[in-house]
Amino acid sequence: MLPELLQGVDTGGLLVIQDSASYSGRHLLQSFINAALNREEAVHVLGFEVSEEELKDGLRGSPVQRLHFHNAYTDPLGWTDHPAFTVHQFCLGELTRLVKQTSHSKPAILVIDSLSWILRHVSTPDVCRTLQQLRKGGAVRSIIGLLHADMHQRGTVGSVCHSATSVITVEPAMRGDEAVAKITKRSKSGKVIQDEEIFRIKDDLTVLVQSKSSKGAKKADSEEQETDPTANLTFNLRLSDTEREAKQKLALPFVFSKAKKTALLHSGPGSGRIHYEPDANDDYDQEDPDDDLDV
Amino acid sequence: MYTELNSILNTTPDSFTQGEFVLLSDRQSDASFLIHHFLSLYLRARCKVCFVGLVQSFNHYSAISQRLGVSLTQAKEKGQLVFLEGQKESLSVLIPQENDTGSQAMDFLRDPSVGLKSLYEFVRSAVSSNAVLDFSHYCRAIVCSQLQGNVVMLVRCDGEGEEDEGDDEGSERLMKGLTHQCSLTLHVQGLPTGYCRDIHGQVEVCWRRRRGDGQYTQKKLFQYKVHDKGASFFAPGTSSAVL
């Protein structure tokens, strides 16, 4: 599914790449940018977290002529007199104006690095609303955003991901240069597809999916790996079919079946009987003290 | 500075990565011995250093640096070191210097219009982790990216590191936010097996954002022991007390 998404997010779609402190999703984000540039699409990057040099450094080899970097890194809060782009300008009007500044025939792809930066300063409902408006507005074809899931409360992350059409959660894998991507994709019909893949990003920013690690496959593997305890022994622990049948038929001594209960409670002919004749001193109660027992 | 740590980080006073944001953190331990390493490293490299000390006094750092062979008082007098003491209300007078092209300087210190004072006041008044993250972002944007200088920041984590669901102000969130911003982290923790006289704890070094040669995060774990004139670092299980 990852290569499919890399080939293009649907028009009007929002892809959220969720990462954490243990594995940065920026590298995958750069892969998406690279793939879009190679498809000759215009890409607008709203850069809060890394400088233009750092981003372009990672995109060496990509056709960066169609990449437009909007600098929100140097002064995102407007502390100087002439900020390039501030976080408070994150609204439909400003972003549409920004994207339309460069003249391209086709609507561009907007990449946001990162949504976490914006969410720290703009309320979650406002961010979600702006993203929705952008998707439907027509100025951008689709949006790709990076979100640091461990920097926000679960509700915030949930709200943003809920309004996304695809979510890729990246985590470190066992091997250092690989990562696990958990993908959720919502199609227009409402169908939700989930998948999990192990991938590696090559030097040219193409993504190589090493294997699919769906949960079903994992279970089968663990079963196969379990060793058979009855193998390699000097004595035989296995049961033949007749032995298994006999074992299942056996009535265990302290398990009460109906037949056993009646046999115990109503002693048959020939077994001993107890005759009890109380004296005057005995306190004989006619009631059966075991009457309330439900054996 | 600690020579073993220099070889781990591949740094010397003559060559170290510029534009780095180093995050030092500790959990139920004390990472301040790493501060002394970086302080003496950059002073020996003849960089201009601005030290914002919010925890200890100047004298404390001066005494320890003396043992490491670096005189903070001298550096301060020469104008190489600007020490902002959080505990006192005073701010050092900023002396304009000739532009030393070879050094990684915090040039904005010399520019009165930008005003370190305003940043400093901001830090003092900042109570939310959000504000600290903004401050560190600007530090990185100005010092690391614009001026190719380095920033070293120490943050302390309390508790076991569990997610504090409703607490946006928690040190965990701040720690995660800073980790996302930095290029190198050194995380100090006590040994998971408990107290040991010969091994004071472990340091996890994590390189993020390596340029050029692959961008995956690289992590290495070392154990350390702090002693009078420095600290020694070794691979887990190779402490001289054990071997």
Side-chain angles (χ1 to χ4, degrees):
Chain A
M1 267 185 74
L2 197 53
E4 221 176 276
L5 283 171
L6 276 159
Q7 272 162 32
V9 182
D10 297 331
T11 306
L14 166 64
L15 166 67
V16 171
I17 299 177
Q18 244 191 66
D19 69 359
S20 63
S22 48
Y23 183 83
S24 173
R26 188 162 291 109
H27 205 187
L28 185 62
L29 185 72
Q30 286 171 331
S31 292
F32 273 90
I33 296 174
N34 179 55
L37 289 172
N38 282 329
R39 282 195 309 270
E40 302 193 351
E41 299 207 53
V43 179
H44 286 255
V45 178
L46 204 51
F48 284 93
E49 286 200 0
V50 292
S51 63
E52 186 169 357
E53 292 78 38
E54 199 177 329
L55 187 77
K56 285 196 171 155
D57 191 51
L59 287 170
R60 268 173 296 163
S62 309
V64 291
Q65 316 91 277
R66 277 181 289 275
L67 175 70
H68 306 278
F69 185 88
H70 302 285
N71 182 12
Y73 170 75
T74 332
D75 187 14
L77 297 173
W79 286 356
T80 63
D81 292 327
H82 305 287
F85 188 87
T86 67
V87 75
H88 307 291
Q89 286 175 271
F90 185 76
C91 59
L92 179 67
E94 290 282 340
L95 288 169
T96 312
R97 184 187 61 83
L98 205 68
V99 172
K100 287 209 162 126
Q101 263 173 4
T102 57
S103 55
H104 279 278
S105 49
K106 292 186 289 183
I109 296 189
L110 178 66
V111 173
I112 304 175
D113 180 10
S114 66
L115 285 167
S116 289
W117 224 105
I118 305 172
L119 284 166
R120 283 202 301 113
H121 293 277
V122 181
S123 73
T124 312
D126 285 342
V127 174
C128 291
R129 192 184 328 124
T130 306
L131 288 171
Q132 278 289 91
Q133 287 170 338
L134 272 171
R135 284 170 60 191
K136 306 226 150 77
V140 303
R141 193 175 84 77
S142 55
I143 309 172
I144 306 176
L146 182 63
L147 182 69
H148 306 306
D150 51 4
M151 275 178 70
H152 311 281
Q153 295 183 348
R154 269 200 284 267
T156 308
V157 175
S159 309
V160 175
C161 291
H162 192 76
S163 46
T165 48
S166 318
V167 179
I168 305 177
T169 307
V170 288
E171 285 164 14
M174 296 298 287
R175 281 185 48 181
D177 54 349
E178 286 176 349
V180 178
K182 295 185 180 159
I183 308 164
T184 306
K185 186 169 174 204
R186 289 189 188 89
S187 63
K188 287 201 171 107
S189 59
K191 184 173 167 195
V192 178
I193 314 169
Q194 289 189 312
D195 203 1
E196 196 174 305
E197 290 169 348
I198 297 180
F199 69 97
R200 187 171 75 85
I201 303 178
K202 301 203 289 203
D203 288 333
D204 60 355
L205 289 178
T206 49
V207 174
L208 191 65
V209 176
Q210 307 280 78
S211 64
K212 277 182 158 287
S213 75
S214 55
K215 291 216 168 87
K218 262 197 215 151
K219 271 196 198 142
D221 273 346
S222 58
E223 270 171 21
E224 276 165 31
Q225 277 161 23
E226 262 177 39
T227 46
D228 183 12
T230 56
N232 300 325
L233 295 170
T234 54
F235 45 90
N236 182 20
L237 273 182
R238 294 200 178 100
L239 294 172
S240 70
D241 288 328
T242 38
E243 283 170 337
R244 205 173 305 232
E245 258 181 59
K247 179 185 166 190
Q248 274 165 1
K249 277 200 193 135
L250 181 67
L252 294 172
F254 296 105
V255 172
F256 281 106
S257 67
K258 244 190 149 48
K260 249 203 161 161
K261 270 192 229 174
T262 43
L264 283 171
L265 293 174
H266 308 288
S267 34
S271 61
R273 302 201 92 218
I274 298 171
H275 292 278
Y276 176 63
E277 293 199 11
D279 315 310
N281 292 330
D282 280 332
D283 183 11
Y284 184 58
D285 189 355
Q286 288 283 13
E287 264 178 44
D288 179 3
D290 293 329
D291 222 350
D292 55 0
L293 266 184
D294 177 29
V295 171
Chain B
M1 63 183 189
Y2 315 133
T3 39
E4 277 154 348
L5 187 56
N6 271 344
S7 61
I8 291 170
L9 298 176
N10 210 14
T11 56
T12 66
D14 301 316
S15 83
F16 50 85
T17 326
Q18 293 178 33
E20 275 227 295
F21 189 116
V22 183
L23 180 69
L24 308 174
S25 55
D26 55 32
R27 187 183 301 283
Q28 294 172 342
S29 190
D30 191 2
S32 46
F33 70 100
L34 292 172
I35 287 272
H36 302 296
H37 163 82
F38 284 101
L39 185 56
S40 53
L41 170 71
Y42 291 131
L43 284 174
R44 266 185 226 241
R46 287 194 282 276
C47 302
K48 290 202 173 51
V49 176
C50 174
F51 193 102
V52 181
L54 301 165
V55 184
Q56 300 276 10
S57 68
F58 173 77
N59 293 328
H60 167 89
Y61 293 102
S62 186
I64 297 180
S65 296
Q66 201 74 34
R67 278 185 258 155
L68 295 176
V70 170
S71 168
L72 291 194
T73 328
Q74 230 175 51
K76 206 162 122 172
E77 279 161 14
K78 276 194 307 189
Q80 191 192 0
L81 170 69
V82 172
F83 196 99
L84 301 171
E85 222 162 328
Q87 294 181 340
K88 294 189 189 162
E89 296 300 302
S90 64
L91 268 176
S92 313
V93 175
L94 305 173
I95 307 162
Q97 292 281 343
E98 286 305 312
N99 199 338
D100 187 347
T101 49
S103 73
Q104 293 80 46
M106 293 181 72
D107 294 349
F108 71 85
L109 277 178
R110 306 191 229 114
D111 185 352
S113 65
V114 174
L116 175 67
K117 188 170 180 173
S118 60
L119 263 175
Y120 179 64
E121 294 302 323
F122 173 77
V123 168
R124 281 180 53 89
S125 61
V127 283
S128 71
S129 52
N130 231 6
V132 177
L133 286 172
D134 291 337
F135 169 66
S136 64
H137 175 96
Y138 273 87
C139 273
R140 193 162 65 96
I142 298 171
V143 179
C144 299
S145 304
Q146 219 174 304
L147 303 169
Q148 293 299 300
N150 288 10
V151 174
V152 178
M153 207 178 258
L154 171 61
V155 69
R156 190 144 279 158
C157 307
D158 31 304
E160 292 300 308
E162 275 145 28
E163 279 293 306
D164 234 329
E165 196 34 69
D167 188 6
D168 255 337
E169 305 305 310
S171 61
E172 278 314 308
R173 209 140 271 154
L174 173 61
M175 175 63 184
K176 293 271 170 15
L178 287 171
T179 310
H180 279 288
Q181 287 183 4
C182 68
S183 53
L184 174 66
T185 66
L186 282 96
H187 185 64
V188 177
Q189 264 182 305
L191 289 177
T193 42
Y195 171 75
C196 172
R197 194 188 53 189
D198 296 303
I199 304 171
H200 294 159
Q202 62 187 36
V203 180
E204 193 185 42
V205 185
C206 185
W207 286 268
R208 298 166 64 86
R209 286 207 197 116
R210 312 192 84 176
R211 294 179 203 192
D213 55 337
Q215 293 212 10
Y216 59 89
T217 325
Q218 197 192 17
K219 283 190 190 179
K220 279 193 186 165
L221 188 69
F222 296 93
Q223 290 176 343
Y224 70 92
K225 178 177 179 177
V226 180
H227 40 80
D228 208 33
K229 300 245 176 200
S232 48
F233 295 79
F234 36 87
T238 61
S239 155
S240 53
V242 170
L243 291 174

